C-alpha cells in the first residue's frame, strides 16, 4: 500500500545525482522512512508550493492562495482500518458509491475499488456515477468534478469530503470575467475544458476533455469556426498547434503541470536515456516537446501498460503513480522535475486541493450528508448542453462511453474520450 506520505518519501530511492542532497534535506523529518518501488520527491504538508500565489486570468489579476488547501493528517494504521470499515458499511446503508480521481490519496483510490466504485479521471467519474444504480455519489476529487457528476445525475445526491477542494483552472476562470471575454468576441464558438465550474460550462458551446478536445477543435476548424478556448493556455496552445485553428486562449494554468521544467527534464532524460517520457498537455510547451507520449491521465496510464519500456518519466500529478505501479509492478516510474537546484524538492507535482480529500472527511459526509453539491436546475440544464454535445460527438465517432460497473472492463471504453 502506498500512501500520499509514502509517495512523498520515496525520493530516497532516486538514482540521479541529486539524491544525496534530497536525502539530507529530510534528515530532520522522521516521517520519511519508507521506500517504495517508484520515485517521487520528499514533500511536507507545509511545502512552500501551498504558500505560493500565481496569476491565472487573462489580465493577470486573480491571485490563488494555495495555503487554503487544508490537508488532513495521515491516520495511524489501526484507526485508518477502522474508518475504512465504517465507510464500507455506510456506503451499503446509504446505497452510495465512492468515485475517486487518480490524484487523491492511494488509500481512497483502493477503497473505491474495493467497494465497487471507480477510480478514474473526471469524466470517467461522472459517467460511472451516472450509470451506477446508487442513490448517492461520494466524489473524492475537487469541486468541479462533483459538479460534473451532479450535472449528469441531477436526481442523485452528490457528496464531497471537502467542498473547499478547488482547482486552479476553475478558480482562475471566474464566470463574470470569462463571460465578458466571450461577450467581447461574439463571433467565436466557446470551447471550455472540463476543469471549469458549472457556470462556465453553461456559458460554453462545447465542453471538451484533453483527448477528444483535439478532434472536436479539428471538427470546428474544418467548419470554419473561430474559437475561444478556456481556461488552460497550455492545452489550448497544444491543440492550436496541432489543428491550426483560430483560437483566442484564456490564460489559465494548472498549478501542478505549469511547474514542470524543461531544462531539468532534459537532465533527467540524460540520466535515464532509455526512459519513456509521459507528459500531460496541461504542461508548458517546452516540456510537451520533450515527450514521447502526450495525453490525458488515462492515456498516460495506458501507455505504461502497453509499452515495452521498463522506465517512465511521468509529468503529471504524483497521485497517478500509485495506479501505474499497481498495473505495472515490474516497471519503474520517475517523477518529472518541477524545480531547480536550490529547491527543497526536485518534483513538487501534487495538487494540494486533491490532498484535502481524507477518509475521515468521506465518513463525515456519509454520516451527515455534508459536503453536498447543490446546483440550480436551470443552470445544470444549460451546463449539460455543451457536455452532452461532446458526448454525442464521441458517440458519432464510435467513442461512446458506457459504464458497466466494472472499472477494469470499462477503462478501454473511456480512454478514447479522454480525461480532465
Amino acid at each position: 500500500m502506498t500512501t500520499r506520505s509514502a509517495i512523498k518519501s520515496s525520493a530516497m530511492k532516486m538514482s540521479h545525482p541529486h539524491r544525496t542532497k534530497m536525502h539530507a534535506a529530510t534528515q530532520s523529518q522522521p516521517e520519511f522512512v519508507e521506500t517504495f518501488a517508484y520515485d517521487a520527491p520528499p514533500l511536507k504538508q507545509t511545502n512552500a508550493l501551498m504558500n505560493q500565489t500565481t496569476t491565472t486570468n487573462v489580465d493577470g489579476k486573480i491571485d490563488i492562495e494555495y495555503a487554503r488547501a487544508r490537508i488532513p493528517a495521515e491516520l495511524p494504521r489501526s484507526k485508518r482500518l477502522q474508518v475504512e470499515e465504517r465507510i464500507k458499511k455506510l456506503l451499503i446503508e446509504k446505497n452510495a458509491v465512492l468515485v475517486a480521481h487518480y490524484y487523491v490519496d492511494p488509500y481512497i483510490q483502493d477503497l473505491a475499488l474495493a467497494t465497487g466504485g471507480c477510480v478514474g479521471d473526471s469524466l470517467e467519474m461522472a459517467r460511472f456515477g451516472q450509470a451506477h444504480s446508487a442513490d448517492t455519489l461520494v466524489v473524492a476529487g475537487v469541486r468541479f468534478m462533483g459538479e460534473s457528476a451532479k450535472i449528469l445525475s441531477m436526481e442523485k445526491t452528490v457528496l464531497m469530503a471537502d467542498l473547499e477542494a478547488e482547482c486552479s483552472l476553475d478558480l482562475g476562470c471566474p464566470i463574470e470575467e470569462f463571460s465578458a471575454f466571450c461577450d467581447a468576441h461574439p463571433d467565436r464558438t466557446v470551447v471550455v475544458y472540463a476543469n471549469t465550474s458549472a457556470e462556465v460550462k453553461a456559458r460554453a458551446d462545447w465542453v471538451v476533455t484533453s483527448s477528444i478536445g483535439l478532434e472536436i477543435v479539428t471538427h470546428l476548424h474544418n467548419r470554419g469556426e473561430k474559437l475561444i478556448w478556456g481556461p488552460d493556455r497550455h492545452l489550448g496552445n497544444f491543440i492550436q498547434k496541432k489543428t491550426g485553428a483560430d483560437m483566442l486562449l484564456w490564460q489559465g494554468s494548472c498549478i501542478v503541470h505549469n511547474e514542470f521544467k524543461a531544462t531539468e527534464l532534459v537532465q533527467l532524460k540524460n540520466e535515464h536515456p532509455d526512459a519513456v517520457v509521459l507528459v500531460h498537455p496541461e504542461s508548458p510547451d517546452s516540456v510537451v516537446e520533450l515527450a514521447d507520449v502526450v495525453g490525458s491521465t488515462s492515456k498516460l496510464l495506458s501507455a505504461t501498460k502497453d509499452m515495452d519500456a521498463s522506465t517512465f518519466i511521468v509529468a503529471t500529478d504524483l497521485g497517478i503513480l500509485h495506479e501505474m505501479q499497481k498495473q505495472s509492478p515490474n516497471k519503474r516510474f520517475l517523477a518529472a522535475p518541477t524545480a531547480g537546484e536550490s529547491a527543497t524538492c526536485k518534483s513538487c507535482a501534487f495538487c494540494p486541493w486533491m490532498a484535502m480529500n481524507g477518509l475521515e472527511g468521506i465518513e463525515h459526509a456519509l454520516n451527515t450528508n455534508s459536503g453536498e453539491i447543490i446546483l440550480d436546475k436551470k443552470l445544470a440544464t444549460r451546463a449539460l448542453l455543451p457536455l452532452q454535445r461532446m458526448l454525442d460527438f464521441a458517440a458519432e465517432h464510435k467513442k461512446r462511453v458506457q459504464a458497466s460497473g466494472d472499472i477494469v472492463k470499462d477503462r478501454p471504453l473511456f480512454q478514447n474520450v479522454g480525461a480532465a
Side-chain angles (χ1 to χ4, degrees), residues 319-388:
I320 192 65
L321 300 182
H322 177 64
E323 187 65 21
M324 287 180 173
Q325 195 69 71
K326 283 173 59 179
Q327 295 191 18
S328 302
N330 296 320
K331 296 183 179 181
R332 188 183 186 197
F333 299 96
L334 303 168
T338 62
E341 295 293 334
S342 62
T344 57
C345 61
K346 293 298 294 181
S347 178
C348 300
F350 91 109
C351 174
W353 289 296
M354 285 287 190
M356 289 170 66
N357 288 270
L359 289 168
E360 289 184 307
I362 292 171
E363 181 187 12
H364 181 70
L366 282 165
N367 266 323
T368 64
N369 272 358
S370 60
E372 182 175 0
I373 295 289
I374 305 293
L375 291 180
D376 177 78
K377 290 183 178 180
K378 291 182 179 179
L379 171 65
T381 298
R382 296 200 311 272
L384 178 61
L385 292 175
L387 180 57
Q388 191 63 52

Side-chain angles (χ1 to χ4, degrees), residues 32-46:
F32 298 131
V33 295
E34 296 182 78
T35 57
F36 294 86
Y38 54 82
D39 299 317
L43 190 62
K44 294 189 69 175
Q45 292 179 351
T46 55

Side-chain angles (χ1 to χ4, degrees), residues 38 57 64 83 94 113 179 216 219 251 274 296 300 335 349 389 394:
Y38 54 82
N57 81 324
I64 300 176
V83 174
K94 304 275 187 175
L113 294 179
S179 185
I216 288 176
H219 168 72
Q251 295 299 300
D274 296 328
S296 66
L300 301 184
R389 191 167 285 131

